[in-house]
Amino acid sequence: MNLQTLIDRSQLKLDNVHPYIAERALEVVRKSYAEGIYVQITHGYRSIQEQDALYAQGRTTSGNIVTNARGGYSYHNFGLAVDFVVLDSNGAANWTVDSRWKRVGAIGESLSLEWGGNWSNFRDYPHLQYTFGLTTAQLRAGHRPPNTSGIINISPNTSGQIKLGSRGDKVKDVQQSLSNLGYSVGVFDGVFGDKTNEGVKQFQRDYGLVVDGIVGKQTLDAITKEEDKMKEKIEKLEKELSNLTTMIKQGASPEPSKWASEMWEELRINGYFDGKRPKGLITREESGQVINRLRKNLLNLIVNNQKELANQSETLESLEAKLKEIEKENS
Ligand SMILES: [Zn+2]
C-alpha cells in the first residue's frame, strides 16, 4: 500500500469537512501508515437528506441498520466527523475491530479527536469527531464552530502543487507574491529553482506551515492572506494621504493637532523642513508631518514584512512626489 494513494482516496471524502478535522483525519492516515497500519477515510460530510436515507436503511428500506442518527443528529451533517476503515496489505477493507483499529482510534485521540470506539453505549469504531463543544441541537439551531485552522498543517491537495522543478505563470505569481512579502526568491522567471525553494521554505517556517517547499493549498492560502493584509494596510495609508490632500486643498483646519510638536523634531531630522516652524497653524508643517508619519508607517510595514526596499520604492516615491506637490501648493 502506498501512502499517497491512501491520502488521495481520503482527500476525496473530505469535501465540506471542517479544516480542523480534515487536517487531523489526514494526519491519522499518515501516522498510522508510519506504524504499518493502512487506514483510509471513508466518509466525511453528509447532508441532512443523505443522513435521513442512511437512517432509513434497515428500518424502512433494505439493508442493515448503520446509524442511530436521523438527519441533523449526526456530527457528519455539520462536517465535524469522519469515518475510517483499516485496510489489509492487499488493500481490502478489514472491518474486524482488532488492535490496529484500536491503535488508529488512539492516534485520533492523540490529535484531540474523539473516537467513537470509546463510547459506552453505542461503540462506533470507524468514527472520529471534533465537536468544538457544540451539541447537535446547537448545530441544528444554527450555531457554528470557528473556522480555526489546525496546529497541524498539511498541504491537502496534491494536484496543482507548485514545487521544485515546476515552471510557468503560477510559479511566477508565487515568486512575485513572496517577493512582495519580503522573501528572496531569485529572478521572477517562472522557474521554481533552489532560490524559490528556499524562499518558500522560509515563508512556511515563518508561518508555522509544514516546511516542505511545496506550494499546496495551505501555503497558497497563507500567502494570499498575507498579501491581502499588506494591501489593506497600504490602501489605508493612501486613503489617509488623499484625505489629507483634500483637507489642504479645501483650506486647512485651524486646530493644531496634538502630535504636531512631537513629530516636528523628527520631521526636521528627516530633512523635510529647514527647522523654522511655519507661522500658519497647519498647511506645510502638519501636512509634512502627516506625510512623514505615513512614510514611517510604510517603512515599519516594510521592516515588519522583511521587505526589500526596492519592492516598495514605487509606493515611497509616489508618497514623496505627493509631498512635493503639497509643498509646492503651500509655498
Ligand atoms: Zn461516523
Side-chain angles (χ1 to χ4, degrees):
M1 283 306 302
N2 172 289
L3 174 61
Q4 197 57 50
T5 308
L6 296 172
I7 292 284
D8 288 347
R9 286 183 194 163
S10 299
Q11 189 73 60
L12 292 174
K13 306 293 180 182
L14 292 173
D15 282 352
N16 296 322
V17 171
H18 191 287
Y20 187 92
I21 293 110
E23 283 168 8
R24 280 159 182 75
L26 290 177
E27 193 63 7
V28 166
V29 176
R30 287 176 201 275
K31 286 200 160 175
S32 302
Y33 190 87
E35 296 184 18
I37 304 171
Y38 309 131
V39 172
Q40 89 181 51
I41 303 302
T42 56
H43 294 96
Y45 168 79
R46 266 197 296 271
S47 69
I48 306 275
Q49 291 86 337
E50 286 168 331
Q51 186 72 35
D52 279 333
L54 206 64
Y55 184 79
Q57 189 180 313
R59 293 186 172 92
T60 54
T61 64
S62 62
N64 298 322
I65 288 181
V66 287
T67 182
N68 285 332
R70 296 165 187 270
Y73 288 75
S74 160
Y75 284 101
H76 285 283
N77 303 148
F78 304 96
L80 302 181
V82 296
D83 295 331
F84 65 86
V85 65
V86 172
L87 305 180
D88 287 331
S89 50
N90 62 6
N94 187 316
W95 294 101
T96 311
V97 175
D98 55 14
S99 60
R100 292 176 300 173
W101 279 79
K102 286 176 183 157
R103 180 60 198 144
V104 177
I107 290 171
E109 288 180 326
S110 77
L111 294 164
S112 72
L113 298 174
E114 188 182 333
W115 180 40
N118 276 340
W119 290 342
S120 47
N121 40 2
F122 169 69
R123 288 177 194 261
D124 190 356
Y125 291 99
H127 185 95
L128 291 165
Q129 69 180 30
Y130 190 83
T131 67
F132 292 90
L134 295 168
T135 62
T136 56
Q138 287 173 316
L139 290 161
R140 282 193 303 279
H143 294 276
R144 291 293 175 267
N147 197 25
T148 18
S149 171
I151 299 152
I152 306 150
N153 284 292
I154 298 155
S155 304
N157 202 344
T158 50
S159 65
Q161 277 182 347
I162 301 164
K163 54 190 173 194
L164 195 62
S166 298
R167 281 164 184 270
D169 287 345
K170 277 188 181 168
V171 176
K172 212 168 170 179
D173 288 346
V174 167
Q175 289 172 325
Q176 179 72 63
S177 296
L178 283 175
S179 170
N180 286 344
L181 294 171
Y183 292 86
S184 167
V185 290
V187 195
F188 307 162
D189 53 3
V191 180
F192 201 126
D194 288 334
K195 279 186 182 166
T196 303
N197 196 35
E198 273 317 303
V200 170
K201 282 184 176 173
Q202 190 54 51
F203 177 84
Q204 291 173 328
R205 224 169 274 135
D206 291 348
Y207 287 87
L209 300 160
V210 171
V211 183
D212 55 7
I214 299 170
V215 182
K217 192 178 179 299
Q218 298 262 346
T219 300
L220 211 53
D221 285 352
I223 290 173
T224 311
K225 207 172 135 195
E226 285 313 302
E227 268 199 309
D228 287 350
K229 269 194 219 161
M230 189 158 185
K231 230 182 268 169
E232 217 173 274
K233 283 183 193 166
I234 290 176
E235 273 167 14
K236 215 175 133 198
L237 288 176
E238 285 178 340
K239 205 175 158 205
E240 234 181 292
L241 185 70
S242 112
N243 287 346
L244 177 78
T245 312
T246 315
M247 193 173 88
I248 290 165
K249 281 184 179 161
Q250 287 170 348
S253 144
E255 293 294 317
S257 72
K258 285 176 189 167
W259 42 266
S261 18
E262 276 171 42
M263 195 63 96
W264 175 253
E265 186 54 18
E266 191 182 350
L267 199 55
R268 193 186 56 75
I269 290 165
N270 280 321
Y272 279 97
F273 297 103
D274 59 7
K276 282 181 225 152
R277 289 182 77 106
K279 283 180 185 142
L281 286 173
I282 194 168
T283 67
R284 234 170 49 140
E285 176 180 356
E286 281 198 315
S287 64
Q289 290 175 25
V290 172
I291 303 277
N292 188 50
R293 193 172 56 152
L294 292 173
R295 176 182 162 278
K296 218 174 106 189
N297 288 351
L298 192 62
L299 283 171
N300 281 339
L301 188 64
I302 292 163
V303 171
N304 288 343
N305 288 285
Q306 302 161 6
K307 182 161 183 146
E308 287 164 331
L309 271 170
N311 296 328
Q312 272 296 12
S313 62
E314 254 179 56
T315 317
L316 265 179
E317 270 164 27
S318 88
L319 280 177
E320 301 213 6
K322 281 174 189 166
L323 170 63
K324 277 180 194 150
E325 222 173 87
I326 290 165
E327 278 192 282
K328 218 185 281 170
E329 279 174 32
N330 285 283
S331 59

